[in-house]
Structure formats: structure tokens, C-alpha cells
């Protein structure tokens, strides 16, 4: 009986077979090899939410193709996977289900690990890490202590969202319409102590380093530059009327300083209390402050909000002209940016303009554009561009750029101002008042103060992990955890109950992958020197600022602690687009989710991988298309039938092809396979455009099909080499499929151990050209001619061609135009 599997691609059997073999043979296990060039490819590790989604499929497929391709190119490839496992979502999910966060997290990790293995991803699973494991965060705690010793870590007061009923701090997303998500009681701002990292000490290095990251998208680098927000300008003191106090402002527009008509202070500004104390304005200002603080806890700083303020009843003096300036407290001034005080110039700042209009404050133009005259009565918006100064004392008539320098020099000379640089970037607050996070390894002693936990006592682990009662209340409620003794004096002390921001874990995990089982320190420096930096990092653009900035910062910290020698963690960055369905990003809330498990069960992992790679370039959004998945499945089945129908041409030996001995049809197919190698290699190497790479392979498959369908047989060596090329080029995209066909076609070793095919320049050299012949600009025929034909011989060939002569209708040529190697145009 004929074998019924001969022309049918049985993906379930095939994928299971090869996944088991890869695992048994440890195909993807890797170690340092100084004799080989390394390549470290890494996708951003996932949060173990329960199951992978199509965004994961796309992200990990991209990374896997790069890893497999680089391995075939001879690189020693590190391609690890792990889990960003701490955080509030797990805590909330566990609370909802009445289980421990550890139970929820480890069950999800186990399930998602099997999903990733089912995709055939070439991870070295022996390097797997989970950030919630003590053997990981133990070293994070040690790094924290070393940074504490260096003064990079410090503690200060900060304002948090506080729910009195739950006696806990809430994240911004847990505050719904000003109320606690759990008990629905009002959430209020509360001042508490928190732990911070001095990222501002590295602001200039972080900024300057962006210029060297030429392998990053410019969009991401621009976002980080803006987040760091380096500004140069004037720091200037406005003295408070009838007081010894001064208000210090910073402005990048000193050329507008004669246009100041009021002063705006942040509600948290330390001078507010003394300004209003014992005055008629004390009560209304305090009420405004309280309301503003509540609103600020609910809203993001980037949220657009109505500009409100209240007069303090006090005035300050403009040091340049002595003018009395009313002092307001305003909701749009941020204490964490600049000095928390803004000199308001409504004629030249739109925010100040809107505020002045609302509170009937003066608007005074002091910078005139060249093309029109500004009038305070008729202005409908602020003029924020440069211009010529007017009504600005001795600086009148200067252009803005010149005036800025002169005004700063004047302030410096007079002693009330100086040139100053400020940053939008603020120190990184890492304290979280939650349970499911890495405990901060600090002890508070009444006599000794803040004391680091001795290294020998690390890790400080979370309580209740193995407890049958599933207790996971916040640490400040667990006395068994926080009651301890001081390691210095032995007296009763209190353990720190804050846990670390989960960005701490994700800021160095890529380095831990280089020595994940090292048990006497965070990193093996020799291994880190070999593997780092990451050659290709892959993830969503939504991580452009926080994660990527913190990872860059942490790399510099580890360098300065002596653990690393690199300055930057990621040499190249690919930010892949989203998966879109019905016009919006796939999400449960929109009801447009496609479950990858369903697709894999129906079509197989390789089909799903192929679709996700073919549907769009990686940096663009991928529009979900069910027909596209069907098309990918049909293509693989067509290749499967083509290969299995021609197994006789495979001898198990290397096929030798002599170009000059081939007939024109075989020569053309041989040339096509090498053109395809060239196109696919270029598409991957240039910009990871796997869609155009796959398209090139599809064209080659069509040509092979066409050649085998003709009466004249295809040269066995050319046919076997063509089919081998198809499998080699597809193998990074569809590994199970290609492994199976590689074995069927009598190849002794795994296709993963084969080398990437090399394009033959000899094969690309054409011995014939196709020349288009036009008569009066219209195409009348195509000629096959020798590549070395002269222009005169080409003209003769065109003029004597029977079809061309028909269209010339006996008329003589007035002019013959030859476009080298492309066309001949006969003008009659």
C-alpha cells in the first residue's frame, strides 16, 4: 500500500518528535567558546500572566529566527528565557482567587513554559530564571547594599496614595475615581519614607550614551533624551516683599523675563506655608492645596487638566526692574521639575496665557516677531517663538539668542542669578508597600539608625511562601517578619517592610543569564565579558523609557561596582509592532483576542510562526488575517509535497553543479536559487524583513514547481540543491518542518547544525540578457541576447526582428535609442 503520509504534512507528529529530540540532544545548550564569535539575542522576558498571546508569538518568533540564523552563520549564540515574576498583578490575581501569589506565579510559569516549547523556540532552558526566586533576588539585595554603601541608594520622604481603611499604599492604577479599588473608600495623599536610586548622578552619561547607540531606533533615543530633559538657562532669585526669603526660579527663556506678570508655585513648595501663615489667604490656599494633591494622585503628570490656582496674598520683586509680582499657587507647577517655582510670562507661554486669561492677570509682550506686532489686548494665544526684545530695558532691540546670553551675564554680575543646567529626570523611587516583591535588605535600629542586612544573612526572603494558610498580607502587617534584632548592637529593631520596584529585577536579568547558576555572587565576570553586551534586544516600544532607561542605568552601576566592563546593555534594539485585529490592539477588554493555542492545534507552530513573520515587517503593526494563516499552511503543504515527490534526486552526498554543462532551463533555475540566497540573506541582515525573505523563497518554490512540471526533466543535482536551499532558508522560520524534510531527504545531521547557504557570484553572472524593444515608445518584442553584445549588433538585431519589422511597416528608423542592458527604442 502507498504511504498515505508521503504528501501530507502531519504537523502534530512532526513537531512533537523534533521538540523531544532537541530537548534530549540539548541542541540549544550553549557555553562560552573563545574560539567562536558570540551573538547574544534576547527578547524582553514576559510576565507570567497565565498564557502567551499573539504579541508573544510574534516577538519570540522574530528572536528565534535571528538566533537560528546566526547559529547557522557560525556564531556561538546565546538565546535565553526567563520570567519577570514579581509584581502587583500576581498579588491581585492571587487575592481574587484566594491563593498565594507564589502558587499563582509558578503554575503560570509551568504552563507558559510548555506553550513556548510548543512553539519550537531555540532557548537554552538550562539558563531559565524567575525573578521571584530567592536565588535571583538574593544578589539584587546584595547589589542594593553595595549601592547603599556608595550613597547611590538613599531614603527620603515621598507622597503616596493611601487608603486608610485598607491601611496600605495603592498604585496609581488601583485608584479608581479617587477611591480604593478594593474597599471603594476615598484615597488620600500621604507622606511616607521611600527608597530612591540616584539616577540623576548619571544623567549626563545616560544622555551622551544615546549618541553611541546607533543600532537603536531614533524614536526611542529621542524619547529617552526628552525624558532626561536636559535644559540650560538662568537660575534667578526673586526676593519676597517684606521678607528675607527669596524664590528661586529656573527658566530657559531669560529673554522674556521683563514680561513676568505673576509667580506660580507648586502646592508642595516649601515657602507656601510661610507665605500664607496667619493671613486671610491661609484657609483658601490650604483647601486648594489639599484638593490639588488629591487630583495629582489620581492623574498622571502627562494628563491634560484645567489650570487652576489661588493668590497667596503676597508679592515678590522682579530683580531686573523691581516690579511687584503677585505670587500664586498653581496646580500645573510640578515640584519635581526645576525649582517648583515658575516665573509666569503669559505673552510667551501658552500655559501661563490661559491662566492669566482665567484670572484676569496682565499679559505683556516683550518679544516681538518680525512678521507682526503683538498686542496684549488682541492676542488669542501666546507667542512662544524667538524674536526681537521690546520693553526690556537695556536689552531692548536684541535678538532672543543674544539677549539670553546678555541677561544671564547681567544677573551673574549683579549677584542675583547664574547660568544653570537642570534635568527633567528625577531619582528612581523603588519602594513598593506590597508583599509580592523582593524585600529591601535593611534594618532600622533606634540606636544605630539604618543598618544593612549582613551579606551572610542574605537573602531576606518573603514570609509565608510555604505556609498552608496562603498568607500574603503586606509586610508591614506581619510582625513575625519585621520584628528582629540589630546586627550591629543586638538590640530590638525593625526590618524594612517595603519591597523593591519590579523594574529592579528587569534592569539586570540580561546580565544574570550569562551565569544564571552562579551561587557565590551576582555575575561571573569572565562569562559576562564574553557574552555582553546583548547584540540584539527585541521588545515593544512601550518600554522605550522606563525599562530601557533603567537597564542602561543599572548596567553603569554594575560597571562601577566592578561586576561588568560594558557601558551599555543592548547594542541593537528592535521594537516590534503590535498585533492588530478589527482595527485595534488585541486585548481581552475589546474581545478581539486570538488564542495562539487554538492556532497551533489547528495548523501547527510552524504555520503560526510563518504567518507572524510574513504578514508585516517586524517594526510595523501586524494586522490579523485568518486567510493569511490559511495561506501559510497551504504554502508549507505545497513545499512538503514538492520535496517528498522528489526524494529520488537526493543521494546523501553533496551535489556538484558545473554551470557550463547545464542547459538554459537548468542554468536559470540554478541562478534563481542563488539570487534567492542573496535576497533572503540581505533581508535578514539589513533590517530583519522576514516578510520579503519568505516572499523570495516562495518565488523560488514556484520556479521549482514550474521546472518539474515541464516535460524535460530537471538536472538532479540542480533540483536537489534547489530543494535543499528552500529548506535551509526556511529552517529558522519553520524549524520542525525543515528538520523533518531534511531527514527525509537523506541528510545525516540536524539542519540546525548546517551552515547558512552562500550565494555564488559565478552563478549570478548572466550569460544572456532580455532586452525590451520599443517602436515609438511602445513595447513590441523582447530579445534574448548575449551579455557582451555591442550596441551596433543590438540595433541590428532589433531592426531585423520579424515582429519589430511588422510594426515598423516598411518605414525607416529616424533614431535608435539604446539604454544599456535594458531596451532599444526605434523612432520612425
Amino acid at each position: 500500500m502507498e504511504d498515505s503520509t508521503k504528501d501530507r504534512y502531519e504537523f502534530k507528529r512532526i513537531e512533537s518528535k523534533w521538540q523531544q529530540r532537541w530537548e534530549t540532544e540539548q541542541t540549544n545548550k550553549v557555553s562560552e567558546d573563545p574560539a567562536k564569535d558570540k551573538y547574544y539575542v534576547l527578547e524582553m522576558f514576559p510576565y507570567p500572566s497565565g498564557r502567551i498571546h499573539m504579541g508573544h508569538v510574534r516577538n519570540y518568533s522574530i528572536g528565534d529566527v535571528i538566533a537560528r540564523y546566526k547559529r547557522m552563520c557560525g556564531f556561538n549564540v546565546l538565546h535565553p528565557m526567563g520570567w519577570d515574576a514579581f509584581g502587583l498583578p500576581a498579588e491581585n490575581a492571587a487575592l481574587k482567587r484566594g491563593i498565594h501569589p507564589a502558587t499563582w506565579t509558578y503554575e503560570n510559569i509551568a504552563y507558559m513554559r510548555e506553550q513556548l516549547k510548543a512553539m519550537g523556540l531555540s532557548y537554552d532552558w538550562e539558563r531559565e530564571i524567575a525573578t521571584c526566586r530567592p536565588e535571583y533576588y538574593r544578589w539584587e539585595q546584595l547589589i542594593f547594599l553595595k549601592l547603599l554603601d556608595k550613597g547611590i541608594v538613599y531614603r527620603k520622604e515621598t507622597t503616596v496614595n493611601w487608603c486608610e481603611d485598607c491601611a496600605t499604599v495603592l498604585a496609581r492604577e488601583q485608584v479608581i475615581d479617587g477611591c480604593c479599588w478594593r474597599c471603594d473608600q476615598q484615597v488620600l495623599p500621604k507622606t511616607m519614607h521611600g527608597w530612591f536610586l540616584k539616577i540623576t548622578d548619571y544623567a549626563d552619561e545616560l544622555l551622551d550614551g544615546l549618541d553611541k547607540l546607533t543600532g537603536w531606533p531614533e524614536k526611542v533615543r529621542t524619547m529617552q533624551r526628552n525624558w532626561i530633559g536636559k535644559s540650560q538657562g538662568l537660575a534667578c532669585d526673586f526676593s519676597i516683599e517684606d521678607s528675607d526669603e527669596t524664590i528661586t526660579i529656573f527658566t530657559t527663556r531669560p529673554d522674556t523675563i521683563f514680561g513676568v506678570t505673576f509667580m506660580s508655585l507648586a502646592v508642595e513648595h516649601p515657602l507656601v506655608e510661610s507665605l500664607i501663615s496667619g493671613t486671610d489667604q491661609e484657609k483658601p490656599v490650604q483647601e486648594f492645596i489639599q484638593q490639588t494633591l488629591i487630583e495629582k494622585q489620581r492623574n498622571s503628570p502627562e494628563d491634560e487638566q484645567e489650570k487652576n490656582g489661588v493668590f497667596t496674598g503676597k508679592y515678590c520683586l522682579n530683580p531686573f526692574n523691581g516690579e511687584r509680582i503677585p505670587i500664586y499657587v498653581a496646580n500645573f507647577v510640578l515640584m519635581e521639575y526645576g525649582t517648583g517655582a515658575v516665573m509666569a510670562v503669559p505673552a510667551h507661554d501658552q500655559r501661563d496665557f490661559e491662566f492669566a486669561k482665567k484670572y484676569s492677570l496682565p499679559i505683556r509682550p516683550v518679544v516681538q516677531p518680525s512678521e507682526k506686532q503683538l498686542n496684549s489686548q488682541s492676542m488669542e494665544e501666546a507667542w512662544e517663538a524667538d524674536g526681537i526684545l521690546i520693553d526690556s530695558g537695556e536689552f531692548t532691540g536684541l535678538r532672543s539668542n543674544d539677549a539670553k546670553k546678555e541677561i544671564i551675564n547681567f544677573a551673574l554680575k549683579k549677584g542675583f542669578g547664574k547660568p544653570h543646567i537642570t534635568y527633567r529626570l528625577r531619582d528612581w523611587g523603588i519602594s513598593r508597600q506590597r508583599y509580592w516583591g523582593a524585600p529591601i535588605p535593611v534594618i532600622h535600629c533606634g540606636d544605630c539608625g539604618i543598618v544593612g542586612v549582613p551579606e551572610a544573612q542574605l537573602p531576606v526572603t518573603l514570609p509565608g511562601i510555604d505556609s498552608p494558610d496562603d498568607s500574603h498580607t503586606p509586610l508591614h502587617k506581619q510582625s513575625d517578619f519585621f520584628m528582629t534584632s540589630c546586627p550591629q548592637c543586638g538590640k530590638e529593631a525593625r526590618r524594612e517592610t517595603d519591597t523593591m520596584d519590579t523594574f529592579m529585577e528587569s534592569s539586570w536579568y540580561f546580565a544574570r543569564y550569562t551565569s544564571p547558576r552562579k551561587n557565590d555572587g551576582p555575575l561571573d565576570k569572565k562569562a559576562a565579558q564574553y557574552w555582553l553586551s546583548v547584540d540584539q534586544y527585541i521588545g515593544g516600544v512601550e518600554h522605550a523609557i522606563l525599562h530601557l532607561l533603567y537597564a542602561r542605568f543599572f548596567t553603569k552601576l554594575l560597571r562601577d561596582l566592578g561586576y561588568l566592563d560594558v557601558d551599555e546593555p543592548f547594542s541593537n534594539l528592535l521594537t516590534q509592532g503590535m498585533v492588530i485585529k478589527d482595527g485595534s490592539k488585541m486585548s481581552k477588554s475589546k474581545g478581539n483576542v486570538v488564542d495562539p493555542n487554538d492556532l497551533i492545534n489547528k495548523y501547527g507552530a510552524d504555520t503560526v510562526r510563518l504567518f507572524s513573520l510574513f504578514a508585516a515587517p517586524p517594526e510595523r503593526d501586524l494586522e490579523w488575517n485568518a486567510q493569511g494563516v490559511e495561506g501559510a499552511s497551504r504554502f508549507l503543504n505545497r513545499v512538503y509535497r514538492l520535496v517528498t515527490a522528489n526524494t529520488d534526486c537526493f543521494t546523501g552526498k553533496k551535489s556538484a553543479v558545473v554551470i557550463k554543462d547545464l542547459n538554459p532551463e537548468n542554468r536559470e533555475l540554478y541562478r534563481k536559487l542563488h539570487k534567492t540566497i542573496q535576497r533572503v540573506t540581505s533581508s535578514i541582515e539589513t533590517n530583519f524583513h522576514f516578510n520579503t525573505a519568505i516572499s523570495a523563497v516562495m518565488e523560488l518554490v514556484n520556479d521549482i514547481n514550474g521546472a518539474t512540471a515541464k516535460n524535460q526533466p530537471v538536472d538532479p543535482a540542480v533540483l536537489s540543491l534547489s530543494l535543499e536551499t528552500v529548506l535551509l532558508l526556511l529552517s529558522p522560520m519553520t524549524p520542525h518542518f525543515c528538520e523533518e524534510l531534511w531527514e527525509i531527504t537523506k541528510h545525516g545531521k540536524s539542519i540546525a547544525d548546517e551552515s547558512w547557504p552562500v550565494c555564488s557570484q559565478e552563478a549570478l553572472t548572466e550569460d544572456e540578457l532580455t532586452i525590451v524593444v520599443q517602436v515609438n515608445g511602445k513595447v513590441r518584442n523582447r530579445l534574448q541576447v548575449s551579455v557582451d553584445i555591442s550596441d551596433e549588433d543590438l540595433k541590428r538585431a532589433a531592426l531585423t526582428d520579424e515582429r519589430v519589422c511588422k510594426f515598423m511597416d516598411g518605414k525607416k528608423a529616424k533614431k535608435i535609442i539604446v539604454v544599456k542592458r535594458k531596451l532599444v527604442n526605434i523612432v520612425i
Side-chain angles (χ1 to χ4, degrees):
M1 180 182 290
E2 186 178 347
D3 184 2
S4 62
T5 67
K6 175 103 172 154
D7 57 0
R8 189 172 76 249
Y9 169 43
E10 295 181 310
F11 62 84
K12 288 187 177 178
R13 175 186 62 82
I14 291 169
E15 290 178 356
S16 175
K17 165 187 169 180
W18 286 101
Q19 286 162 20
Q20 289 176 20
R21 186 176 296 184
W22 293 331
E23 188 165 346
T24 301
E25 297 179 357
Q26 296 185 312
T27 301
N28 302 312
K29 184 178 179 181
V30 68
S31 59
E32 298 80 53
D33 183 354
K36 297 178 73 174
D37 290 335
K38 66 90 182 180
Y39 194 88
Y40 185 177
V41 58
L42 181 65
E43 306 95 65
M44 294 180 185
F45 66 167
Y47 166 72
S49 58
R51 56 182 54 224
I52 63 172
H53 52 67
M54 283 304 297
H56 288 132
V57 169
R58 189 184 192 199
N59 189 14
Y60 304 148
S61 295
I62 291 169
D64 198 52
V65 173
I66 296 171
R68 290 177 179 277
Y69 166 75
K70 289 293 183 179
R71 180 179 175 182
M72 293 177 75
C73 290
F75 288 92
N76 192 28
V77 176
L78 175 59
H79 188 209
M81 174 50 69
W83 312 96
D84 191 8
F86 271 140
L88 193 60
E91 196 165 340
N92 290 343
L95 185 68
K96 184 177 178 181
R97 291 163 177 79
I99 59 176
H100 197 283
T103 304
W104 165 257
T105 300
Y106 289 127
E107 286 178 356
N108 287 349
I109 287 174
Y111 185 81
M112 292 176 70
R113 184 190 299 115
E114 293 309 307
Q115 285 187 298
L116 296 181
K117 287 184 176 181
M119 284 181 61
L121 301 167
S122 59
Y123 296 131
D124 180 355
W125 284 106
E126 290 194 4
R127 293 177 181 263
E128 179 185 16
I129 59 174
T131 60
C132 62
R133 294 190 182 279
E135 55 266 32
Y136 181 85
Y137 67 74
R138 168 190 183 182
W139 304 117
E140 190 173 304
Q141 291 174 340
L142 177 63
I143 293 167
F144 176 96
L145 293 172
K146 289 183 178 293
L147 295 174
L148 181 64
D149 289 342
K150 288 175 67 71
I152 297 295
V153 169
Y154 67 98
R155 190 168 180 254
K156 71 171 184 178
E157 283 191 340
T158 184
T159 304
V160 297
N161 299 312
W162 181 258
C163 175
E164 191 64 41
D165 277 35
C166 296
T168 190
V169 173
L170 301 178
R172 190 185 300 278
E173 59 268 25
Q174 291 178 307
V175 182
I176 302 171
D177 296 329
C179 296
C180 173
W181 69 283
R182 185 184 290 122
C183 69
D184 206 32
Q185 295 302 304
Q186 186 178 22
V187 174
L188 296 172
K190 182 177 181 179
T191 300
M192 297 180 65
H193 279 93
W195 291 94
F196 291 79
L197 266 64
K198 285 186 180 177
I199 191 172
T200 51
D201 281 7
Y202 288 77
D204 278 327
E205 188 181 356
L206 288 166
L207 191 61
D208 294 343
L210 291 169
D211 293 333
K212 302 172 187 175
L213 295 177
T214 54
W216 284 37
E218 183 55 37
K219 176 183 178 182
V220 174
R221 294 196 290 170
T222 298
M223 291 170 74
Q224 288 207 6
R225 285 191 188 99
N226 292 340
W227 188 261
I228 295 168
K230 184 177 183 179
S231 299
Q232 301 185 43
L234 169 68
C236 184
D237 294 333
F238 284 62
S239 59
I240 299 173
E241 191 177 54
D242 302 325
S243 170
D244 294 332
E245 299 278 7
T246 59
I247 298 173
T248 301
I249 62 92
F250 170 79
T251 178
T252 59
R253 292 295 306 271
D255 56 319
T256 67
I257 204 158
F258 284 85
V260 177
T261 61
F262 62 97
M263 179 70 67
S264 302
L265 301 183
V267 293
E268 305 96 336
H269 197 287
L271 286 176
V272 172
E273 187 175 349
S274 62
L275 288 174
I276 63 174
S277 180
T279 70
D280 292 342
Q281 289 298 101
E282 183 171 11
K283 184 177 180 182
V285 172
Q286 286 179 340
E287 289 175 350
F288 175 79
I289 290 172
Q290 190 63 22
Q291 183 59 35
T292 301
L293 287 172
I294 292 171
E295 290 175 357
K296 287 178 76 170
Q297 296 305 114
R298 296 177 186 176
N299 303 319
S300 166
E302 287 75 28
D303 291 342
E304 188 67 31
Q305 57 182 320
E306 184 179 356
K307 291 151 189 71
N308 294 316
V310 60
F311 181 41
T312 63
K314 294 295 179 71
Y315 293 81
C316 60
L317 302 177
N318 187 327
F320 283 85
N321 57 16
E323 184 177 0
R324 294 175 80 228
I325 306 295
I327 303 171
Y328 279 73
V329 177
N331 67 342
F332 58 83
V333 182
L334 302 177
M335 190 64 216
E336 56 266 31
Y337 298 151
T339 65
V342 174
M343 66 170 212
V345 187
H348 304 293
D349 182 277
Q350 186 60 29
R351 184 182 55 184
D352 296 341
F353 182 88
E354 294 171 12
F355 191 92
K357 283 288 189 182
K358 181 172 182 175
Y359 293 98
S360 301
L361 294 165
I363 298 173
R364 182 188 306 140
V366 292
V367 176
Q368 285 282 13
S370 57
E371 64 271 20
K372 62 180 178 179
Q373 288 290 109
L374 298 179
N375 185 298
S376 61
Q377 302 301 316
S378 59
M379 288 179 72
E380 295 181 355
E381 62 181 2
W383 172 261
E384 296 183 318
D386 290 348
I388 306 293
L389 268 65
I390 61 170
D391 298 331
S392 298
E394 64 187 83
F395 308 104
T396 297
L398 292 177
R399 294 187 176 278
S400 287
N401 283 339
D402 295 329
K404 289 175 185 178
K405 298 172 188 174
E406 293 295 328
I407 288 171
I408 291 173
N409 287 335
F410 181 86
L412 183 63
K413 184 178 178 181
K414 294 293 184 179
F416 55 73
K418 60 182 179 180
H420 187 63
I421 297 174
T422 190
Y423 299 88
R424 183 177 185 269
L425 181 68
R426 287 297 174 263
D427 283 342
W428 175 12
I430 64 164
S431 285
R432 297 296 180 268
Q433 294 73 30
R434 309 303 311 166
Y435 170 82
W436 192 235
I440 292 177
V442 158
I443 291 169
H444 301 275
C445 174
D447 289 344
C448 304
I450 293 173
V451 181
V453 173
E455 184 176 343
Q457 295 178 20
L458 298 179
V460 177
T461 58
L462 290 169
I465 293 290
D466 302 317
S467 173
D469 65 1
D470 295 327
S471 173
H472 56 274
T473 57
L475 298 180
H476 68 270
K477 294 184 177 181
Q478 299 197 46
S479 59
D480 286 349
F481 172 79
F482 64 71
M483 294 302 294
T484 187
S485 59
C486 175
Q488 287 187 357
C489 69
K491 292 181 181 179
E492 186 177 289
R494 183 183 177 94
R495 197 180 292 279
E496 174 63 61
T497 56
D498 284 357
T499 52
M500 295 191 213
D501 179 9
T502 56
F503 278 118
M504 286 284 284
E505 284 85 66
S506 60
S507 291
W508 73 288
Y509 78 106
F510 50 87
R512 181 65 179 174
Y513 277 141
T514 65
S515 49
R517 302 295 170 255
K518 184 175 174 62
N519 58 16
D520 59 352
L523 300 169
D524 181 311
K525 191 166 185 179
K526 190 175 180 181
Q529 282 178 326
Y530 178 79
W531 290 115
L532 293 176
S533 59
V534 175
D535 295 282
Q536 185 63 59
Y537 198 39
I538 306 163
V541 73
E542 66 271 18
H543 302 292
I545 297 174
L546 295 182
H547 164 57
L548 289 171
L549 185 64
Y550 291 154
R552 295 183 61 223
F553 170 48
F554 222 85
T555 297
K556 299 174 195 312
L557 293 179
L558 292 173
R559 176 202 64 196
D560 292 348
L561 290 174
Y563 291 119
L564 297 178
D565 288 334
V566 296
D567 297 325
E568 295 287 347
F570 315 119
S571 299
N572 297 284
L573 174 68
L574 172 63
T575 54
Q576 90 282 353
M578 298 183 294
V579 180
I580 306 294
K581 185 171 184 283
D582 303 329
S584 59
K585 179 183 177 181
M586 282 189 182
S587 69
K588 291 179 182 177
S589 62
K590 291 179 179 140
N592 63 350
V593 170
V594 175
D595 190 339
N597 276 12
D598 295 341
L599 292 175
I600 290 171
N601 288 334
K602 184 175 181 180
Y603 297 102
D606 282 342
T607 294
V608 178
R609 288 169 59 122
L610 190 69
F611 163 74
S612 71
L613 295 163
F614 181 59
E619 73 277 6
R620 301 283 296 275
D621 289 345
L622 184 158
E623 183 71 39
W624 168 255
N625 184 332
Q627 289 73 33
V629 184
E630 289 279 359
S633 177
R634 286 196 300 272
F635 171 69
L636 290 183
N637 276 284
R638 189 160 71 250
V639 174
Y640 193 85
R641 290 192 298 272
L642 178 62
V643 174
T644 54
N646 290 281
T647 53
D648 291 346
C649 72
F650 294 95
T651 63
K653 299 178 181 178
K654 186 78 172 175
S655 300
V657 175
V658 181
I659 300 175
K660 65 182 180 64
D661 293 343
L662 298 176
N663 64 26
E665 290 79 8
N666 283 307
R667 194 178 305 140
E668 184 56 33
L669 181 57
Y670 186 69
R671 182 177 296 118
K672 179 68 174 182
L673 79 87
H674 282 282
K675 281 184 177 179
T676 304
I677 294 170
Q678 185 182 52
R679 284 181 61 191
V680 172
T681 305
S682 176
S683 292
I684 296 175
E685 286 286 352
T686 305
N687 48 20
F688 301 131
H689 278 197
F690 308 116
N691 56 322
T692 58
I694 294 167
S695 179
V697 178
M698 289 177 171
E699 288 181 22
L700 177 59
V701 169
N702 288 339
D703 284 5
I704 298 171
N705 261 321
T708 56
K710 293 178 180 178
N711 291 330
Q712 187 174 357
V714 182
D715 182 277
V718 173
L719 180 57
S720 65
L721 193 58
S722 299
L723 293 173
E724 284 177 349
T725 300
V726 168
L727 297 180
L728 289 166
L729 297 180
L730 281 179
S731 64
M733 293 94 162
T734 57
H736 316 85
F737 176 85
C738 294
E739 286 278 23
E740 182 70 10
L741 288 176
W742 199 251
E743 184 179 69
I744 288 173
T745 52
K746 305 181 180 70
H747 292 88
K749 61 180 179 178
S750 165
I751 198 169
D753 295 325
E754 296 287 351
S755 296
W756 186 255
V758 177
C759 170
S760 165
Q761 292 302 315
E762 181 189 7
L764 293 180
T765 304
E766 298 182 1
D767 50 11
E768 282 191 341
L769 297 173
T770 300
I771 301 294
V772 173
V773 182
Q774 298 176 338
V775 177
N776 287 345
K778 293 184 178 179
V779 177
R780 296 308 186 189
N781 205 2
R782 288 176 172 80
L783 303 179
Q784 293 297 125
V785 299
S786 170
V787 292
D788 55 3
I789 191 171
S790 68
D791 286 356
E792 290 305 314
D793 287 344
L794 185 57
K795 290 177 184 178
R796 257 191 304 275
L799 288 170
T800 57
D801 180 75
E802 182 178 347
R803 183 172 172 80
V804 172
C805 289
K806 176 183 174 183
F807 284 101
M808 291 180 67
D809 195 24
K811 296 176 182 177
K812 288 193 173 183
K814 294 179 181 178
K815 186 191 294 186
I816 303 176
I817 302 167
V818 176
V819 179
K820 199 75 173 175
R821 299 175 67 88
K822 288 186 178 180
L823 67 83
V824 175
N825 183 18
I826 302 170
V827 181
I828 59 175

